[in-house]
Amino acid sequence: MTSITSGAHSRLAGLVIACCATVAFAEPQAPTGSDIVRPKYQTQRFTEDWSSLAGHDLGATGDPLDMLKYIPLSDDGAIWVSFGGQARVRLEHWQNFGFGRTNDDNFVLGRLFFHSDIHFGEHVRVFLEGKSAMSTDRDLPGGKRTIDVDELDMHNFFGELAVPLSDEGTLTVRAGRQELLFGRQRLVSPLDWANTRRAFDGVSLIAAMDELTVTGFWTRTVPVQKYDFNDSDANTDFYGIYAQGKVPGTQISLDVYWLALETEMAAYNGTTGHEDRHTVGGRISGMIGETGVGYDFEGAYQFGEVGSADIDAFMVDGELNYTFTDAPGAPRLHVGAGFASGDRSTGGDVQTFSQLFPLGHAYLGFIDLVGRQNVINFTPGLTVKPIDKLTVKLDGHLFWIADDSDALYNAGGGVARPAGSGHSSEVGAEIDLLVIYQIDRNQQAMLGYSHFFAGPFVKQSGGQDDIDFAYLGYQFTF
């Protein structure tokens, strides 16, 4: 695919902003039909079921978008299609990016998603989702990255066959390009914060039975090629089994999983070679009796080989929370902590935990300096809703290196600071302030500010200046 010029790219990003602004200030929608139950918009759009609109006069609901969500293609309505999409724009401001005093910049990220969900009866469907992710000039290290730009591509493209197992059970086979999302996304996520999101090519087998869902999958990663169509990576296989459900007779949620990653060439703290890594783990969440205290804990162990070296790594992460439901704004307090192992020596066996394909952004700070590898983190926070539709969240993060013989890794799994570059284990601290205003069902505005306080380890390894990150975003979903 021929690359567009920087000027055209900037004009295209400007068009996204203009379109979003036009929608944002449009007249409020008329009241919708009270007897229509619409699904909530989901992170993975293919999990939405719009068949609830069947049989309604969609031209009289008061919401013109309803006419796009259910369009019968046959007289009996057995064949139908749903259209949807999303436009998002985000202005980012950075000071001292990567602790570099001259690394200051402002730029705009914009993306468009559009999908069609075609149903052929109750058991067969095809889902297609295209995307275009763009950026104005980004003069920070790395320039326009693959998480920023994917000019034009097919993000999801799969066929699906659903076979009833019983009155409350279904076996679904999904084949093609698809997103993966498991649990709280600590290890496997579409990474919605990134402008380009994450996808895989392969096959998923999903058995859904009452309150239990078991997913088996075999996939290959799909690296972003900014100005060409994306192809799966034949050198990286990702497969496994993920089960999630309720403990019988309780409201306790329980996940158990086995995830396998094979890469042709990997490097961890001086050890290189073919990687065959297996992750076994589990997650438990729920409420502690009648106390009102919620909990979410996850742990995982990794084994396998990198070249001729053995893998022996693990991670634990958890959170406790409490919501003051009777207080103004329903404040929710939470405290989290985590540990991801690091390598005990350069070369030889590998103790560095691999974070796989995570949403680290949500757990380890919005600046994305720290990933879930060789790290200890402590995270207190507060969420409050001062008025209807407005959510304010304030989080703090404290970071330490888990093992001084290993590196500091960033949210992408890359080396932020090499092993031995500092003798202190104290990386630093971060504060994240996030303000979200849900304008209506379709529109959301976001404002955020983050500050990273450089600790002794950072200053010893070459960084001196604190990092500031601010952003303003708008999103329209239909």
Side-chain angles (χ1 to χ4, degrees), residues 94-120:
W94 289 88
Q95 285 186 320
N96 305 330
F97 179 88
F99 304 107
R101 183 167 296 180
T102 61
N103 292 340
D104 300 343
D105 199 12
N106 304 297
F107 53 91
V108 177
L109 300 174
R111 75 180 191 192
L112 298 170
F113 280 87
F114 184 80
H115 70 258
S116 61
D117 188 5
I118 310 169
H119 292 253
F120 301 89

PDB file of all heavy atoms in Angstrom, residues 94-120:
ATOM      1  N   TRP A  94       3.221  15.987  26.281  1.00  0.00           N
ATOM      2  CA  TRP A  94       4.297  15.347  27.044  1.00  0.00           C
ATOM      3  C   TRP A  94       5.388  16.356  27.384  1.00  0.00           C
ATOM      4  O   TRP A  94       5.752  17.187  26.560  1.00  0.00           O
ATOM      5  CB  TRP A  94       4.929  14.210  26.241  1.00  0.00           C
ATOM      6  CG  TRP A  94       4.059  13.010  26.088  1.00  0.00           C
ATOM      7  CD1 TRP A  94       3.136  12.773  25.103  1.00  0.00           C
ATOM      8  CD2 TRP A  94       4.020  11.867  26.952  1.00  0.00           C
ATOM      9  NE1 TRP A  94       2.529  11.571  25.294  1.00  0.00           N
ATOM     10  CE2 TRP A  94       3.051  10.984  26.420  1.00  0.00           C
ATOM     11  CE3 TRP A  94       4.713  11.505  28.107  1.00  0.00           C
ATOM     12  CZ2 TRP A  94       2.759   9.760  27.003  1.00  0.00           C
ATOM     13  CZ3 TRP A  94       4.418  10.281  28.692  1.00  0.00           C
ATOM     14  CH2 TRP A  94       3.449   9.425  28.158  1.00  0.00           C
ATOM     15  N   GLN A  95       5.908  16.220  28.604  1.00  0.00           N
ATOM     16  CA  GLN A  95       7.115  16.933  29.014  1.00  0.00           C
ATOM     17  C   GLN A  95       8.081  15.923  29.613  1.00  0.00           C
ATOM     18  O   GLN A  95       7.715  15.109  30.462  1.00  0.00           O
ATOM     19  CB  GLN A  95       6.792  18.018  30.055  1.00  0.00           C
ATOM     20  CG  GLN A  95       6.118  19.250  29.465  1.00  0.00           C
ATOM     21  CD  GLN A  95       5.964  20.348  30.495  1.00  0.00           C
ATOM     22  OE1 GLN A  95       5.643  20.114  31.657  1.00  0.00           O
ATOM     23  NE2 GLN A  95       6.201  21.585  30.082  1.00  0.00           N
ATOM     24  N   ASN A  96       9.321  15.960  29.135  1.00  0.00           N
ATOM     25  CA  ASN A  96      10.386  15.072  29.625  1.00  0.00           C
ATOM     26  C   ASN A  96      10.063  13.598  29.383  1.00  0.00           C
ATOM     27  O   ASN A  96      10.338  12.745  30.228  1.00  0.00           O
ATOM     28  CB  ASN A  96      10.658  15.313  31.117  1.00  0.00           C
ATOM     29  CG  ASN A  96      10.973  16.750  31.428  1.00  0.00           C
ATOM     30  OD1 ASN A  96      11.524  17.467  30.604  1.00  0.00           O
ATOM     31  ND2 ASN A  96      10.601  17.194  32.625  1.00  0.00           N
ATOM     32  N   PHE A  97       9.484  13.296  28.239  1.00  0.00           N
ATOM     33  CA  PHE A  97       9.185  11.912  27.880  1.00  0.00           C
ATOM     34  C   PHE A  97      10.447  11.065  28.029  1.00  0.00           C
ATOM     35  O   PHE A  97      11.521  11.419  27.538  1.00  0.00           O
ATOM     36  CB  PHE A  97       8.681  11.863  26.437  1.00  0.00           C
ATOM     37  CG  PHE A  97       8.348  10.489  25.937  1.00  0.00           C
ATOM     38  CD1 PHE A  97       7.089   9.960  26.118  1.00  0.00           C
ATOM     39  CD2 PHE A  97       9.303   9.729  25.264  1.00  0.00           C
ATOM     40  CE1 PHE A  97       6.775   8.698  25.641  1.00  0.00           C
ATOM     41  CE2 PHE A  97       9.010   8.466  24.787  1.00  0.00           C
ATOM     42  CZ  PHE A  97       7.734   7.942  24.976  1.00  0.00           C
ATOM     43  N   GLY A  98      10.328   9.932  28.715  1.00  0.00           N
ATOM     44  CA  GLY A  98      11.488   9.074  28.952  1.00  0.00           C
ATOM     45  C   GLY A  98      12.544   9.712  29.820  1.00  0.00           C
ATOM     46  O   GLY A  98      13.713   9.323  29.767  1.00  0.00           O
ATOM     47  N   PHE A  99      12.157  10.721  30.611  1.00  0.00           N
ATOM     48  CA  PHE A  99      13.038  11.473  31.507  1.00  0.00           C
ATOM     49  C   PHE A  99      14.043  12.328  30.747  1.00  0.00           C
ATOM     50  O   PHE A  99      15.040  12.780  31.306  1.00  0.00           O
ATOM     51  CB  PHE A  99      13.783  10.536  32.475  1.00  0.00           C
ATOM     52  CG  PHE A  99      12.880   9.672  33.297  1.00  0.00           C
ATOM     53  CD1 PHE A  99      12.758   8.316  33.033  1.00  0.00           C
ATOM     54  CD2 PHE A  99      12.140  10.217  34.328  1.00  0.00           C
ATOM     55  CE1 PHE A  99      11.922   7.513  33.784  1.00  0.00           C
ATOM     56  CE2 PHE A  99      11.283   9.421  35.085  1.00  0.00           C
ATOM     57  CZ  PHE A  99      11.177   8.068  34.818  1.00  0.00           C
ATOM     58  N   GLY A 100      13.772  12.554  29.458  1.00  0.00           N
ATOM     59  CA  GLY A 100      14.662  13.396  28.674  1.00  0.00           C
ATOM     60  C   GLY A 100      14.203  14.846  28.678  1.00  0.00           C
ATOM     61  O   GLY A 100      13.062  15.145  28.308  1.00  0.00           O
ATOM     62  N   ARG A 101      15.072  15.769  29.071  1.00  0.00           N
ATOM     63  CA  ARG A 101      14.692  17.170  29.251  1.00  0.00           C
ATOM     64  C   ARG A 101      14.223  17.815  27.958  1.00  0.00           C
ATOM     65  O   ARG A 101      13.397  18.734  27.971  1.00  0.00           O
ATOM     66  CB  ARG A 101      15.872  17.943  29.840  1.00  0.00           C
ATOM     67  CG  ARG A 101      15.586  19.399  30.132  1.00  0.00           C
ATOM     68  CD  ARG A 101      16.672  20.003  30.997  1.00  0.00           C
ATOM     69  NE  ARG A 101      16.712  19.375  32.319  1.00  0.00           N
ATOM     70  CZ  ARG A 101      17.572  19.725  33.283  1.00  0.00           C
ATOM     71  NH1 ARG A 101      18.459  20.682  33.050  1.00  0.00           N
ATOM     72  NH2 ARG A 101      17.556  19.116  34.444  1.00  0.00           N
ATOM     73  N   THR A 102      14.698  17.338  26.817  1.00  0.00           N
ATOM     74  CA  THR A 102      14.307  17.944  25.538  1.00  0.00           C
ATOM     75  C   THR A 102      13.135  17.214  24.885  1.00  0.00           C
ATOM     76  O   THR A 102      12.708  17.598  23.795  1.00  0.00           O
ATOM     77  CB  THR A 102      15.504  17.938  24.570  1.00  0.00           C
ATOM     78  OG1 THR A 102      15.915  16.583  24.325  1.00  0.00           O
ATOM     79  CG2 THR A 102      16.668  18.730  25.137  1.00  0.00           C
ATOM     80  N   ASN A 103      12.618  16.190  25.530  1.00  0.00           N
ATOM     81  CA  ASN A 103      11.550  15.383  24.939  1.00  0.00           C
ATOM     82  C   ASN A 103      10.176  15.938  25.310  1.00  0.00           C
ATOM     83  O   ASN A 103       9.445  15.374  26.133  1.00  0.00           O
ATOM     84  CB  ASN A 103      11.662  13.924  25.390  1.00  0.00           C
ATOM     85  CG  ASN A 103      12.889  13.237  24.828  1.00  0.00           C
ATOM     86  OD1 ASN A 103      13.460  13.684  23.839  1.00  0.00           O
ATOM     87  ND2 ASN A 103      13.312  12.162  25.466  1.00  0.00           N
ATOM     88  N   ASP A 104       9.823  17.076  24.703  1.00  0.00           N
ATOM     89  CA  ASP A 104       8.519  17.708  24.902  1.00  0.00           C
ATOM     90  C   ASP A 104       7.785  17.735  23.566  1.00  0.00           C
ATOM     91  O   ASP A 104       8.386  18.042  22.525  1.00  0.00           O
ATOM     92  CB  ASP A 104       8.657  19.133  25.426  1.00  0.00           C
ATOM     93  CG  ASP A 104       9.391  19.209  26.758  1.00  0.00           C
ATOM     94  OD1 ASP A 104       9.515  18.161  27.431  1.00  0.00           O
ATOM     95  OD2 ASP A 104       9.835  20.315  27.123  1.00  0.00           O
ATOM     96  N   ASP A 105       6.491  17.441  23.589  1.00  0.00           N
ATOM     97  CA  ASP A 105       5.761  17.438  22.323  1.00  0.00           C
ATOM     98  C   ASP A 105       4.256  17.446  22.573  1.00  0.00           C
ATOM     99  O   ASP A 105       3.784  17.040  23.647  1.00  0.00           O
ATOM    100  CB  ASP A 105       6.126  16.204  21.494  1.00  0.00           C
ATOM    101  CG  ASP A 105       5.770  16.366  20.024  1.00  0.00           C
ATOM    102  OD1 ASP A 105       5.461  17.494  19.607  1.00  0.00           O
ATOM    103  OD2 ASP A 105       5.787  15.351  19.295  1.00  0.00           O
ATOM    104  N   ASN A 106       3.519  17.923  21.560  1.00  0.00           N
ATOM    105  CA  ASN A 106       2.063  17.844  21.517  1.00  0.00           C
ATOM    106  C   ASN A 106       1.672  17.217  20.186  1.00  0.00           C
ATOM    107  O   ASN A 106       2.226  17.574  19.140  1.00  0.00           O
ATOM    108  CB  ASN A 106       1.428  19.237  21.605  1.00  0.00           C
ATOM    109  CG  ASN A 106       1.868  20.003  22.830  1.00  0.00           C
ATOM    110  OD1 ASN A 106       1.601  19.597  23.946  1.00  0.00           O
ATOM    111  ND2 ASN A 106       2.550  21.128  22.611  1.00  0.00           N
ATOM    112  N   PHE A 107       0.738  16.294  20.202  1.00  0.00           N
ATOM    113  CA  PHE A 107       0.287  15.672  18.963  1.00  0.00           C
ATOM    114  C   PHE A 107      -1.120  15.125  19.160  1.00  0.00           C
ATOM    115  O   PHE A 107      -1.627  15.034  20.288  1.00  0.00           O
ATOM    116  CB  PHE A 107       1.244  14.565  18.495  1.00  0.00           C
ATOM    117  CG  PHE A 107       1.540  13.523  19.533  1.00  0.00           C
ATOM    118  CD1 PHE A 107       0.761  12.379  19.633  1.00  0.00           C
ATOM    119  CD2 PHE A 107       2.596  13.688  20.417  1.00  0.00           C
ATOM    120  CE1 PHE A 107       1.036  11.420  20.599  1.00  0.00           C
ATOM    121  CE2 PHE A 107       2.875  12.729  21.380  1.00  0.00           C
ATOM    122  CZ  PHE A 107       2.098  11.594  21.476  1.00  0.00           C
ATOM    123  N   VAL A 108      -1.754  14.757  18.057  1.00  0.00           N
ATOM    124  CA  VAL A 108      -3.126  14.275  18.078  1.00  0.00           C
ATOM    125  C   VAL A 108      -3.174  12.860  17.496  1.00  0.00           C
ATOM    126  O   VAL A 108      -2.611  12.594  16.430  1.00  0.00           O
ATOM    127  CB  VAL A 108      -4.054  15.193  17.263  1.00  0.00           C
ATOM    128  CG1 VAL A 108      -5.480  14.633  17.225  1.00  0.00           C
ATOM    129  CG2 VAL A 108      -4.061  16.606  17.848  1.00  0.00           C
ATOM    130  N   LEU A 109      -3.838  11.962  18.211  1.00  0.00           N
ATOM    131  CA  LEU A 109      -4.102  10.607  17.739  1.00  0.00           C
ATOM    132  C   LEU A 109      -5.578  10.493  17.386  1.00  0.00           C
ATOM    133  O   LEU A 109      -6.448  10.908  18.162  1.00  0.00           O
ATOM    134  CB  LEU A 109      -3.759   9.582  18.817  1.00  0.00           C
ATOM    135  CG  LEU A 109      -2.310   9.542  19.301  1.00  0.00           C
ATOM    136  CD1 LEU A 109      -2.170   8.569  20.467  1.00  0.00           C
ATOM    137  CD2 LEU A 109      -1.371   9.147  18.178  1.00  0.00           C
ATOM    138  N   GLY A 110      -5.863   9.948  16.224  1.00  0.00           N
ATOM    139  CA  GLY A 110      -7.249   9.747  15.815  1.00  0.00           C
ATOM    140  C   GLY A 110      -7.431   8.370  15.213  1.00  0.00           C
ATOM    141  O   GLY A 110      -6.516   7.832  14.585  1.00  0.00           O
ATOM    142  N   ARG A 111      -8.589   7.785  15.443  1.00  0.00           N
ATOM    143  CA  ARG A 111      -8.833   6.469  14.852  1.00  0.00           C
ATOM    144  C   ARG A 111     -10.311   6.320  14.507  1.00  0.00           C
ATOM    145  O   ARG A 111     -11.194   6.923  15.111  1.00  0.00           O
ATOM    146  CB  ARG A 111      -8.398   5.351  15.793  1.00  0.00           C
ATOM    147  CG  ARG A 111      -9.331   5.117  16.967  1.00  0.00           C
ATOM    148  CD  ARG A 111      -8.832   3.989  17.856  1.00  0.00           C
ATOM    149  NE  ARG A 111      -9.842   3.584  18.817  1.00  0.00           N
ATOM    150  CZ  ARG A 111      -9.605   2.791  19.849  1.00  0.00           C
ATOM    151  NH1 ARG A 111      -8.380   2.320  20.074  1.00  0.00           N
ATOM    152  NH2 ARG A 111     -10.585   2.449  20.664  1.00  0.00           N
ATOM    153  N   LEU A 112     -10.560   5.488  13.489  1.00  0.00           N
ATOM    154  CA  LEU A 112     -11.906   5.157  13.044  1.00  0.00           C
ATOM    155  C   LEU A 112     -12.049   3.650  12.969  1.00  0.00           C
ATOM    156  O   LEU A 112     -11.175   2.964  12.418  1.00  0.00           O
ATOM    157  CB  LEU A 112     -12.180   5.764  11.667  1.00  0.00           C
ATOM    158  CG  LEU A 112     -12.147   7.293  11.538  1.00  0.00           C
ATOM    159  CD1 LEU A 112     -12.184   7.689  10.061  1.00  0.00           C
ATOM    160  CD2 LEU A 112     -13.313   7.917  12.286  1.00  0.00           C
ATOM    161  N   PHE A 113     -13.126   3.121  13.528  1.00  0.00           N
ATOM    162  CA  PHE A 113     -13.477   1.712  13.391  1.00  0.00           C
ATOM    163  C   PHE A 113     -14.878   1.630  12.793  1.00  0.00           C
ATOM    164  O   PHE A 113     -15.771   2.413  13.161  1.00  0.00           O
ATOM    165  CB  PHE A 113     -13.472   0.999  14.745  1.00  0.00           C
ATOM    166  CG  PHE A 113     -12.111   0.612  15.245  1.00  0.00           C
ATOM    167  CD1 PHE A 113     -11.350   1.497  15.977  1.00  0.00           C
ATOM    168  CD2 PHE A 113     -11.594  -0.640  14.983  1.00  0.00           C
ATOM    169  CE1 PHE A 113     -10.086   1.144  16.446  1.00  0.00           C
ATOM    170  CE2 PHE A 113     -10.341  -1.016  15.441  1.00  0.00           C
ATOM    171  CZ  PHE A 113      -9.586  -0.114  16.171  1.00  0.00           C
ATOM    172  N   PHE A 114     -15.090   0.692  11.886  1.00  0.00           N
ATOM    173  CA  PHE A 114     -16.419   0.457  11.331  1.00  0.00           C
ATOM    174  C   PHE A 114     -16.589  -1.044  11.136  1.00  0.00           C
ATOM    175  O   PHE A 114     -15.697  -1.709  10.596  1.00  0.00           O
ATOM    176  CB  PHE A 114     -16.608   1.178   9.995  1.00  0.00           C
ATOM    177  CG  PHE A 114     -17.988   1.031   9.435  1.00  0.00           C
ATOM    178  CD1 PHE A 114     -19.027   1.826   9.907  1.00  0.00           C
ATOM    179  CD2 PHE A 114     -18.258   0.094   8.448  1.00  0.00           C
ATOM    180  CE1 PHE A 114     -20.318   1.694   9.408  1.00  0.00           C
ATOM    181  CE2 PHE A 114     -19.537  -0.043   7.941  1.00  0.00           C
ATOM    182  CZ  PHE A 114     -20.571   0.757   8.426  1.00  0.00           C
ATOM    183  N   HIS A 115     -17.733  -1.583  11.598  1.00  0.00           N
ATOM    184  CA  HIS A 115     -17.912  -3.029  11.491  1.00  0.00           C
ATOM    185  C   HIS A 115     -19.285  -3.397  10.956  1.00  0.00           C
ATOM    186  O   HIS A 115     -20.240  -2.610  11.031  1.00  0.00           O
ATOM    187  CB  HIS A 115     -17.693  -3.713  12.858  1.00  0.00           C
ATOM    188  CG  HIS A 115     -18.766  -3.443  13.862  1.00  0.00           C
ATOM    189  ND1 HIS A 115     -18.604  -2.534  14.893  1.00  0.00           N
ATOM    190  CD2 HIS A 115     -20.016  -3.951  14.018  1.00  0.00           C
ATOM    191  CE1 HIS A 115     -19.701  -2.504  15.636  1.00  0.00           C
ATOM    192  NE2 HIS A 115     -20.575  -3.349  15.119  1.00  0.00           N
ATOM    193  N   SER A 116     -19.364  -4.584  10.421  1.00  0.00           N
ATOM    194  CA  SER A 116     -20.635  -5.193  10.028  1.00  0.00           C
ATOM    195  C   SER A 116     -20.674  -6.598  10.619  1.00  0.00           C
ATOM    196  O   SER A 116     -19.683  -7.332  10.608  1.00  0.00           O
ATOM    197  CB  SER A 116     -20.777  -5.245   8.508  1.00  0.00           C
ATOM    198  OG  SER A 116     -19.744  -6.022   7.921  1.00  0.00           O
ATOM    199  N   ASP A 117     -21.840  -6.934  11.164  1.00  0.00           N
ATOM    200  CA  ASP A 117     -22.053  -8.233  11.813  1.00  0.00           C
ATOM    201  C   ASP A 117     -23.212  -8.904  11.081  1.00  0.00           C
ATOM    202  O   ASP A 117     -24.367  -8.526  11.264  1.00  0.00           O
ATOM    203  CB  ASP A 117     -22.378  -8.000  13.289  1.00  0.00           C
ATOM    204  CG  ASP A 117     -22.419  -9.286  14.090  1.00  0.00           C
ATOM    205  OD1 ASP A 117     -22.100 -10.345  13.518  1.00  0.00           O
ATOM    206  OD2 ASP A 117     -22.772  -9.231  15.287  1.00  0.00           O
ATOM    207  N   ILE A 118     -22.904  -9.886  10.226  1.00  0.00           N
ATOM    208  CA  ILE A 118     -23.895 -10.504   9.349  1.00  0.00           C
ATOM    209  C   ILE A 118     -24.285 -11.871   9.910  1.00  0.00           C
ATOM    210  O   ILE A 118     -23.426 -12.746  10.082  1.00  0.00           O
ATOM    211  CB  ILE A 118     -23.345 -10.661   7.925  1.00  0.00           C
ATOM    212  CG1 ILE A 118     -22.737  -9.342   7.430  1.00  0.00           C
ATOM    213  CG2 ILE A 118     -24.449 -11.121   6.974  1.00  0.00           C
ATOM    214  CD1 ILE A 118     -21.952  -9.483   6.146  1.00  0.00           C
ATOM    215  N   HIS A 119     -25.572 -12.048  10.184  1.00  0.00           N
ATOM    216  CA  HIS A 119     -26.093 -13.298  10.750  1.00  0.00           C
ATOM    217  C   HIS A 119     -26.865 -14.067   9.692  1.00  0.00           C
ATOM    218  O   HIS A 119     -27.782 -13.530   9.060  1.00  0.00           O
ATOM    219  CB  HIS A 119     -27.004 -12.996  11.942  1.00  0.00           C
ATOM    220  CG  HIS A 119     -26.279 -12.441  13.121  1.00  0.00           C
ATOM    221  ND1 HIS A 119     -26.050 -13.166  14.272  1.00  0.00           N
ATOM    222  CD2 HIS A 119     -25.725 -11.228  13.323  1.00  0.00           C
ATOM    223  CE1 HIS A 119     -25.390 -12.413  15.129  1.00  0.00           C
ATOM    224  NE2 HIS A 119     -25.177 -11.232  14.583  1.00  0.00           N
ATOM    225  N   PHE A 120     -26.508 -15.345   9.524  1.00  0.00           N
ATOM    226  CA  PHE A 120     -27.206 -16.247   8.604  1.00  0.00           C
ATOM    227  C   PHE A 120     -27.957 -17.274   9.451  1.00  0.00           C
ATOM    228  O   PHE A 120     -27.452 -18.365   9.722  1.00  0.00           O
ATOM    229  CB  PHE A 120     -26.212 -16.938   7.665  1.00  0.00           C
ATOM    230  CG  PHE A 120     -25.401 -15.975   6.844  1.00  0.00           C
ATOM    231  CD1 PHE A 120     -24.194 -15.478   7.319  1.00  0.00           C
ATOM    232  CD2 PHE A 120     -25.842 -15.564   5.602  1.00  0.00           C
ATOM    233  CE1 PHE A 120     -23.435 -14.595   6.560  1.00  0.00           C
ATOM    234  CE2 PHE A 120     -25.087 -14.676   4.836  1.00  0.00           C
ATOM    235  CZ  PHE A 120     -23.895 -14.189   5.319  1.00  0.00           C
TER     236      PHE A 120
END
